[in-house]
Amino acid sequence: MNTVDAIKNLSQINKMKEYLKTRSTRDYCLFLLGINTGIRINELIHLRVSDVMTADEKVRDFLDSAAYANPPVYFNRMVREAIQDCIHSEGLEHDDYLFKSKKTMSPISRQQAYRIISEAARYSGIEGAIGTTTLRKTFGYHAYQKGIAISLIQKRLQQSTPSETIQFIGLANERHSLPIILDVNL
């Protein structure tokens, strides 16, 4: 089995977002949720509208899922807007799958999610190994680059050790790391 990489180049991520947004609100939402939350693809495709939306039809700030309660999964503004657009444009009901197949009432398959991601990656000029796990790795890599502690990323990705997380998100071979500034300044 080939391992896949994180998408480290922000312009490639933006190209993928642009491409997916023009193709399908569902596919765009899938990509945004994946790269902004780190949720595993199997759990991502099985999300229901009721997991992400309140009874009064507002997108939640946090995912309503016991599996992702510690730490809770936060939906940033861009993700909330994509969820809202997806629900309305796809005509989804409260009990529907968020990523419902166009042919059945079931969620899209892992294989369909792979096709969506790989097609967008090819369009964006990404040549490395890409798959559905790329979404989680991209989330972890960019969270680390933004200064999120590796221990918190490890917890979100539900991994055993910080070194496993460093390996998983593609930092093991990188020479540079962010400086740690512990300035209490009492």
Side-chain angles (χ1 to χ4, degrees):
M1 172 186 259
N2 293 338
T3 60
V4 297
D5 300 318
I7 305 167
K8 298 178 180 179
N9 183 312
L10 289 175
S11 67
Q12 289 176 323
I13 290 172
N14 288 330
K15 267 187 162 178
M16 286 182 72
K17 286 171 24 180
E18 288 171 23
Y19 175 76
L20 290 167
K21 195 168 192 175
T22 63
R23 306 241 329 146
S24 161
T25 57
R26 180 198 69 188
D27 298 351
Y28 174 71
C29 185
L30 175 76
F31 182 68
L32 274 191
L33 261 168
I35 64 172
N36 282 284
T37 65
I39 298 173
R40 287 183 175 94
I41 194 65
N42 196 48
E43 292 155 352
L44 192 61
I45 61 176
H46 283 92
L47 287 176
R48 292 189 179 268
V49 171
S50 58
D51 295 327
V52 299
M53 188 162 260
T54 63
D56 59 348
E57 298 192 17
K58 291 184 179 172
V59 177
R60 300 175 189 276
D61 288 336
F62 294 92
L63 176 62
D64 185 21
S65 167
Y68 287 100
N70 187 18
V73 173
Y74 175 68
F75 296 143
N76 64 32
R77 179 191 52 78
M78 195 167 28
V79 168
R80 288 192 307 271
E81 288 172 4
I83 291 170
Q84 189 77 41
D85 290 346
C86 179
I87 291 168
H88 288 295
S89 71
E90 300 290 324
L92 300 176
E93 299 293 327
H94 199 67
D95 290 328
D96 285 340
Y97 287 104
L98 184 60
F99 303 109
K100 187 169 80 168
S101 168
K102 298 200 186 300
K103 298 176 184 173
T104 69
M105 297 301 286
S106 301
I108 63 172
S109 66
R110 291 176 59 94
Q111 293 79 10
Q112 180 62 19
Y114 169 78
R115 284 190 288 272
I116 291 164
I117 302 308
S118 64
E119 181 180 316
R122 277 193 312 274
Y123 173 83
S124 303
I126 298 171
E127 295 178 9
I130 296 293
T132 55
T133 305
T134 295
L135 303 179
R136 282 172 51 84
K137 290 184 176 195
T138 300
F139 163 79
Y141 178 84
H142 288 283
Y144 182 79
Q145 294 302 319
K146 289 184 181 227
I148 306 296
I150 198 70
S151 59
L152 294 175
I153 299 168
Q154 169 198 341
K155 203 169 189 182
R156 159 60 56 244
L157 296 177
Q158 299 174 335
Q159 295 177 325
S160 302
T161 64
S163 61
E164 178 185 1
T165 303
I166 287 169
Q167 183 74 34
F168 180 76
I169 63 178
L171 294 172
N173 296 328
E174 290 191 16
R175 297 267 182 234
H176 73 292
S177 63
L178 297 175
I180 299 172
I181 301 171
L182 300 173
D183 183 9
V184 178
N185 200 18
L186 299 172

